Amino acid sequence: AQKITQTQPGMFVQEKEAVTLDCTYDTSDQSYGLFWYKQPSSGEMIFLIYQGSYDEQNATEGRYSLNFQKARKSANLVISASQLGDSAMYFCAMREDFQKLVFGTGTRLLVSP
Amino acid sequence: NAGVTQTPKFQVLKTGQSMTLQCAQDMNHNSMYWYRQDPGMGLRLIYYSASEGTTDKGEVPNGYNVSRLNKREFSLRLESAAPSQTSVYFCASSELTVLNSPLHFGNGTRLTVT
């Protein structure tokens, strides 16, 4: 079974608008961590934001926020005020056992002027 | 401020050839990882090393071997390359074996096996 599911292969958004990238996860552990990474066309993997399973508040980092709904096992990334430089692949990932990070298949975001 | 350095950046192999992908980190991290990235499949873990002297299999270890040479270096070896191993390979490291420690990635090695 897929541990991390990203159902949107591609998303389009206009500059300055907000966009939500979906991520659902599957775990029976009580303690786990959720991560989002950005991969621009240049190929590097850039860490964006982290949410712990026991964190009561949704994580925020600048224009990035994580809409964490534990009961629904979802950890959606919200990008506010999109910029052209936000065009990239975005990966959701989960860590259950203090070691491995398991990734979803990614969502390609295209920001248009 | 190098972070995680992978060599080479690009490599073309013929089926059956062997090669070693090198990875070094200068952040004094304990844990190191090798992932492969294929279109439509995200990143899949090949092997990881929780600390110097230990290595463990990930999701897709077949056809690969690894060596944690010291705390800084973690190499990935393909003994007999196959076309199915054509992929982009990423090395990563993390500071602590705790949930909130993000992985820091190298820039990747693009490998083509013909």
Side-chain angles (χ1 to χ4, degrees), chain A residues 31 35 37 39 95 99 101, chain B residues 35 37 97-99 101 103:
Chain A
S31 184
F35 299 77
Y37 280 82
Q39 186 178 42
R95 173 181 262 155
Q99 289 297 335
L101 208 58
Chain B
Y35 285 86
Q37 182 178 22
T97 55
V98 293
L99 285 175
S101 179
L103 269 61

Side-chain angles (χ1 to χ4, degrees), chain A residues 26-42:
Chain A
D26 181 26
T27 182
S28 55
D29 287 0
Q30 297 301 307
S31 184
Y32 52 89
L34 296 155
F35 299 77
W36 277 92
Y37 280 82
K38 173 184 178 181
Q39 186 178 42
S41 57
S42 50

Side-chain angles (χ1 to χ4, degrees), chain A residues 31-33 35 37 39 42-45 47 50 53 89 91 95-106, chain B residues 31 33 35 37 40-43 45 48 50 57-58 90 94 96-107:
Chain A
S31 184
Y32 52 89
F35 299 77
Y37 280 82
Q39 186 178 42
S42 50
E44 70 268 33
M45 295 289 289
F47 165 66
Y50 167 82
S53 58
M89 282 289 287
F91 291 97
R95 173 181 262 155
E96 293 175 286
D97 60 0
F98 298 92
Q99 289 297 335
K100 303 183 288 291
L101 208 58
V102 177
F103 285 82
T105 53
Chain B
S31 302
Y33 309 79
Y35 285 86
Q37 182 178 22
M41 302 192 75
L43 280 79
L45 182 65
Y48 66 101
K57 294 179 180 178
F90 285 97
S94 68
L96 298 167
T97 55
V98 293
L99 285 175
N100 66 349
S101 179
L103 269 61
H104 300 262
F105 284 84
N107 287 334

Side-chain angles (χ1 to χ4, degrees), chain A residues 23-81:
Chain A
C23 173
T24 58
Y25 59 91
D26 181 26
T27 182
S28 55
D29 287 0
Q30 297 301 307
S31 184
Y32 52 89
L34 296 155
F35 299 77
W36 277 92
Y37 280 82
K38 173 184 178 181
Q39 186 178 42
S41 57
S42 50
E44 70 268 33
M45 295 289 289
I46 302 167
F47 165 66
L48 294 178
I49 196 167
Y50 167 82
Q51 179 84 43
S53 58
Y54 292 119
D55 294 341
E56 293 186 354
Q57 301 220 331
N58 286 341
T60 60
E61 289 286 348
R63 293 186 299 108
Y64 303 109
S65 61
L66 205 152
N67 184 359
F68 182 46
Q69 298 187 44
K70 195 169 180 177
R72 298 178 66 180
K73 294 188 175 177
S74 75
N76 299 339
L77 178 70
V78 181
I79 305 174
S80 62

Side-chain angles (χ1 to χ4, degrees), chain B residues 38-59:
Chain B
D38 302 293
M41 302 192 75
L43 280 79
R44 293 181 294 168
L45 182 65
I46 305 171
Y47 271 93
Y48 66 101
S49 171
S51 61
E52 190 178 350
T54 69
T55 59
D56 284 286
K57 294 179 180 178
E59 183 186 353

Side-chain angles (χ1 to χ4, degrees), chain B residues 19-40:
Chain B
M19 79 160 296
T20 299
L21 280 64
Q22 306 286 353
C23 175
Q25 51 92 6
D26 63 3
M27 295 175 283
N28 202 34
H29 286 173
N30 285 307
S31 302
M32 298 186 73
Y33 309 79
W34 276 104
Y35 285 86
R36 59 177 287 174
Q37 182 178 22
D38 302 293

